[in-house]
Amino acid sequence: MMHTGILQAKRIRTWPWFVALAGLLLWPLLPGVGENPYYLHLSTIVCIYMILALGLNITIGFAGLLDLGFAAFYGIGAYTYAVFATMENPLPFWVIVAVAVAVTLLIRFLVGASCLRLKGDYLAIVTLGFGEITRTVINNNPFNLTGGTFGLSGIPAPDLGFYRIDPTNPLSHYWYYYLAAGFVIFFVYASIRMKYSRLGRAWIALREDEVAAEAMGVDVFSTKLYAYVLGAVGAAVAGCLFAAKQRFVSPESFAFFESVLLVCMVVLGGLGSVRGALVGAVVLILLPELPRLFPEAVSLLPEPLQDMERYRMLLFGLALLLVMLFRPQGLVGSSKRYAELHPAMERDARREDASLDGIRDGKERF
Amino acid sequence: MLLTILNGLTLGALYALVALGYTMVYGILELINFAHGEVMMLGAFFYFTFLGMGLDPLSAALLAVASAALAGVVIERFAYKPFRNSPRLAPLISAIGVSIFLQNLAALVWGTRSVQVPLPELLQGSLFAFEGGQISRLQGAILATAVLLMVALALFIRKTRLGKAMRATSQDRKAAQLMGINTDRIISATFLIGSALAAVGGIYYAMYLSLKPTMGFAAGIKAFTAAVLGGIGSVPGAMLGGFLLGLLESVGGAYLSTEYQNAIAFFVLILVLLLRPSGLLGRGRQEKV
């Protein structure tokens, strides 16, 4: 197969990916899964978050640009879809998705082009600010487009061209799931291809050492801009899927909390790891659903721990700290990433301090 | 108009107190202490709790400031120090983790609803009335405390041995270390002082506006904006930035809906970072390689 060439060249085992692919496609057909609309609904939501996490992983994981306003672009995608789908003669699904991606990327480009010259910490806080501004604007119903705090409802079910999903039909759950799963496959494939492309290697070089990368001829600004803008493709597509499935959008779905949740997924799974983004999305979406999925098992826990929803954010905050401290490569990240993020260098630095020879300590000066 | 300016200055004094902590930490570690706003919130909740335990307002406030200062040092020790030499992303993520953790911990302990903090008797009523308005005693106390603390801090940094060591550490940590300065202790001291100032700001903020777990996040962003506006790393800059931002919000609030009023800080932040990243009083920093 042609497209496995790049994987083999990098000595990546391909069979786990094919097992995962088969699992993704066959999952709803397993006995007991397909009949339960709640399982299919949850699986579709997991797929949507996988797409978001894969997108954010490009920005944060590959290029090391901490983006705390990613949910805003998820929202822009969803609202663009909602606005175009509720018009009198709605366009077909694919056309609206293309429009939503274009709108999202345009805004993302404008933000990125103005902010990406800032250093990491500043970039984080500016993206946060931009996210909050976006939510404020959506809340204030500009040009009567967004419906303010009430959001937009009555979004028609998507018309896929060959088939219009009928939400009253129980089979519609399968349609939504396979639509989302199809996009997951596309984004996984695209992520892996990008990671080992010339651009992907430039991102990683930049993430590890900006000055060294620049000295090697990497154009810092445009390379960052690519990472920032391309990451938002996932946000736009996930927004469209979300709006098409929920058939209702409101500003709360895209608040700062959502951005934090997405950052958690990428960090927990493993910064820069494609399978990490997938695992992070599965874990963090299923965690608060556990009481509903396994009521018997959860009822065995001590009383105060049963209300997972209540402790969700607390645990996320703690998880971010603990992962960075003890397992910076995330749950399934590579050990190479561990070496990059682990402060083992500190020991070397201290040793050099002791010999009063700071010159070789490239991290600090020179 | 006079009233608007006065309200703006009071708000600005509160921002400035919190902004000092951001600017001092950034000056030394080049790290945005995302959890700083949470320290401010904790200070206010500590005060509220000590008051509820029957302490008089002054000792409650002193105890709260001390506890919050300690919390700041502990945060530094556990969430930032292990990442001294890691890539930037690592301490940034752990700082956000701490911020989210503390905010939700406070929500679990004290509830998510906003609570009213009783004013001590000394600060009730009006200090000075003029045509069309008045200065409340609380406003007077906020302004006086803020100015006093800022002058004290400026003198401390300029005149004392510890202040000198701080300036040296912020200029060049490695060289300061070679000169026999225990930089880890200086960093702890910076967090201690910054957190104490934030707690003072937090207690007044709770009295002046309201107290809830998310207040630290919102006020923290604004204080950070104030620090950037004045020039991050510069102590007088943080004061100037705080007062300016307070005025801007108060004057802008007269013309804008409350929701957009809250976005003013973000607009200011983005504009300053794009047009003059070194801020009003900051020196352009050479990127340390």
Side-chain angles (χ1 to χ4, degrees):
Chain A
M1 285 172 110
M2 192 192 79
H3 66 266
T4 56
I6 184 138
L7 300 179
Q8 278 157 358
K10 289 286 158 193
R11 288 205 199 88
I12 284 185
R13 280 173 304 170
T14 48
W15 65 264
W17 285 112
F18 285 109
V19 172
L21 176 68
L24 189 71
L25 293 178
L26 297 178
W27 165 245
L29 307 177
L30 292 181
V33 176
E35 295 99 78
N36 191 335
Y38 168 63
Y39 284 173
L40 278 183
H41 163 79
L42 200 56
S43 310
T44 312
I45 296 292
V46 167
C47 285
I48 291 177
Y49 276 92
M50 281 178 170
I51 296 168
L52 284 167
L54 286 169
L56 188 60
N57 186 46
I58 294 174
T59 308
I60 300 188
F62 292 171
L65 307 167
L66 186 54
D67 182 350
L68 294 177
F70 199 67
F73 295 91
Y74 176 35
I76 291 171
Y79 268 94
T80 312
Y81 181 89
V83 167
F84 279 94
T86 48
M87 287 192 315
E88 263 176 49
N89 296 309
L91 302 162
F93 177 76
W94 307 104
V95 179
I96 309 184
V97 171
V99 172
V101 169
V103 170
T104 310
L105 292 197
L106 179 69
I107 299 177
R108 186 87 166 168
F109 173 80
L110 294 175
V111 174
S114 46
C115 298
L116 280 172
R117 292 195 196 277
L118 299 170
K119 275 195 304 178
D121 312 40
Y122 284 132
L123 182 71
I125 211 147
V126 165
T127 53
L128 191 161
F130 184 78
E132 287 300 289
I133 290 174
T134 308
R135 201 178 49 84
T136 309
V137 169
I138 290 177
N139 250 329
N140 279 278
N141 198 7
F143 312 111
N144 255 337
L145 273 178
T146 65
T149 44
F150 300 109
L152 289 174
S153 54
I155 301 167
D159 174 8
L160 301 180
F162 54 92
Y163 177 71
R164 178 186 284 277
I165 294 180
D166 174 12
T168 56
N169 186 335
L171 281 179
S172 66
H173 296 289
Y174 287 95
W175 278 102
Y176 282 122
Y177 174 78
Y178 280 110
L179 191 59
F183 276 112
V184 171
I185 295 165
F186 169 77
F187 279 104
V188 167
Y189 178 67
S191 288
I192 296 175
R193 292 297 303 236
M194 263 193 277
K195 188 173 177 180
Y196 296 108
S197 69
R198 187 187 167 86
L199 185 61
R201 281 175 282 132
W203 284 335
I204 290 165
L206 208 63
R207 176 185 77 192
E208 294 314 324
D209 193 329
E210 211 170 297
V211 180
E214 196 170 13
M216 291 297 129
V218 173
D219 180 344
V220 173
F221 180 67
S222 70
T223 308
K224 279 185 179 176
L225 195 57
Y226 270 117
Y228 187 73
V229 173
L230 286 177
V233 179
V237 170
C240 292
L241 289 170
F242 177 80
K245 176 166 169 36
Q246 301 297 110
R247 302 174 56 217
F248 167 70
V249 287
S250 76
E252 291 125 71
S253 311
F254 314 106
F256 176 62
F257 162 76
E258 206 67 14
S259 296
V260 171
L261 175 68
L262 293 167
V263 172
C264 280
M265 285 177 185
V266 174
V267 172
L268 187 70
L271 283 160
S273 154
V274 174
R275 59 196 163 149
L278 301 175
V279 170
V282 173
V283 170
L284 289 191
I285 292 302
L286 292 190
L287 188 70
E289 296 289 333
L290 285 180
R292 233 172 302 173
L293 285 170
F294 307 104
E296 298 89 7
V298 172
S299 65
L300 294 177
L301 288 172
E303 187 78 49
L305 288 179
Q306 288 185 16
D307 191 359
M308 302 262 180
E309 190 72 42
R310 212 172 143 213
Y311 296 100
R312 189 152 82 131
M313 280 304 268
L314 187 80
L315 291 176
F316 288 177
L318 199 60
L320 280 183
L321 175 64
L322 294 180
V323 167
M324 287 326 284
L325 277 176
F326 300 114
R327 207 179 154 80
Q329 81 274 36
L331 290 177
V332 295
S334 69
S335 49
K336 180 165 161 257
R337 197 77 182 101
Y338 177 81
E340 286 159 1
L341 282 161
H342 197 268
M345 295 174 274
E346 201 180 3
R347 256 175 283 133
D348 305 333
R350 247 190 247 137
R351 208 168 46 229
E352 285 188 349
D353 285 350
S355 63
L356 294 186
D357 178 12
I359 295 169
R360 275 181 297 131
D361 179 10
K363 268 288 152 196
E364 283 287 304
R365 298 253 132 186
F366 296 101
Chain B
M1 193 61 200
L2 193 59
L3 201 65
T4 317
I5 290 177
L6 201 69
N7 289 338
L9 284 178
T10 315
L11 204 58
L14 295 174
Y15 293 156
L17 280 175
V18 184
L20 286 169
Y22 279 112
T23 235
M24 287 166 67
V25 167
Y26 194 90
I28 289 189
L29 288 182
E30 291 193 32
L31 167 86
I32 297 177
N33 181 6
F34 265 95
H36 192 59
E38 268 58 47
V39 172
M40 167 205 180
M41 177 268 298
L42 279 183
F45 268 116
F46 285 155
Y47 172 74
F48 180 70
T49 308
F50 290 140
L51 216 55
M53 283 159 58
L55 287 177
D56 64 290
L58 185 66
S59 26
L62 288 178
L63 213 54
V65 169
S67 324
L70 199 67
V73 175
V74 171
I75 292 171
E76 193 276 327
R77 175 67 192 76
F78 285 103
Y80 303 147
K81 198 176 169 206
F83 303 110
R84 257 327 120 70
N85 291 308
S86 307
R88 294 197 97 80
L89 198 57
L92 210 54
I93 289 173
S94 79
I96 291 164
V98 170
S99 159
I100 294 164
F101 175 76
L102 289 178
Q103 193 178 322
N104 286 280
L105 189 68
L108 280 180
V109 176
W110 290 289
T112 48
R113 306 259 300 271
S114 89
V115 276
Q116 212 55 49
V117 179
L119 272 182
E121 233 167 87
L122 191 69
L123 299 180
Q124 285 169 1
S126 127
L127 179 72
F128 180 79
F130 53 86
E131 222 175 307
Q134 56 155 356
I135 307 179
S136 70
R137 285 193 182 186
L138 178 60
Q139 284 180 315
I142 290 174
L143 286 168
T145 314
V147 170
L148 211 70
L149 284 177
M150 288 174 202
V151 172
L153 180 70
L155 284 177
F156 171 79
I157 290 178
R158 201 162 285 240
K159 301 282 182 197
T160 64
R161 230 177 122 75
L162 186 57
K164 202 171 176 182
M166 277 180 170
R167 278 183 290 143
T169 309
S170 108
Q171 250 175 33
D172 189 330
R173 195 155 82 227
K174 186 130 276 172
Q177 221 164 3
L178 291 173
M179 295 302 125
I181 294 172
N182 183 344
T183 48
D184 279 337
R185 198 177 296 162
I186 297 302
I187 290 167
S188 291
T190 309
F191 272 83
L192 190 84
I193 296 170
S195 304
L197 291 172
V200 174
I203 294 171
Y204 274 132
Y205 193 93
M207 289 179 188
Y208 188 58
L209 297 161
S210 72
L211 175 55
K212 58 179 171 186
T214 50
M215 116 189 169
F217 181 74
I221 294 277
K222 290 177 182 178
F224 176 75
T225 305
V228 171
L229 178 62
I232 199 142
S234 146
V235 170
M239 304 175 196
L240 179 71
F243 283 118
L244 273 179
L245 184 69
L247 280 178
L248 216 60
E249 276 200 348
S250 163
V251 174
Y255 303 98
L256 291 169
S257 76
T258 32
E259 185 133 18
Y260 278 119
Q261 189 191 349
N262 281 325
I264 290 180
F266 289 120
F267 278 112
V268 171
L269 179 65
I270 292 173
L271 282 181
V272 174
L273 283 178
L274 293 182
L275 302 178
R276 195 180 157 80
S278 57
L280 295 174
L281 299 186
R283 278 171 299 123
R285 249 173 198 271
Q286 203 70 44
E287 178 102 15
K288 288 186 188 171
V289 174

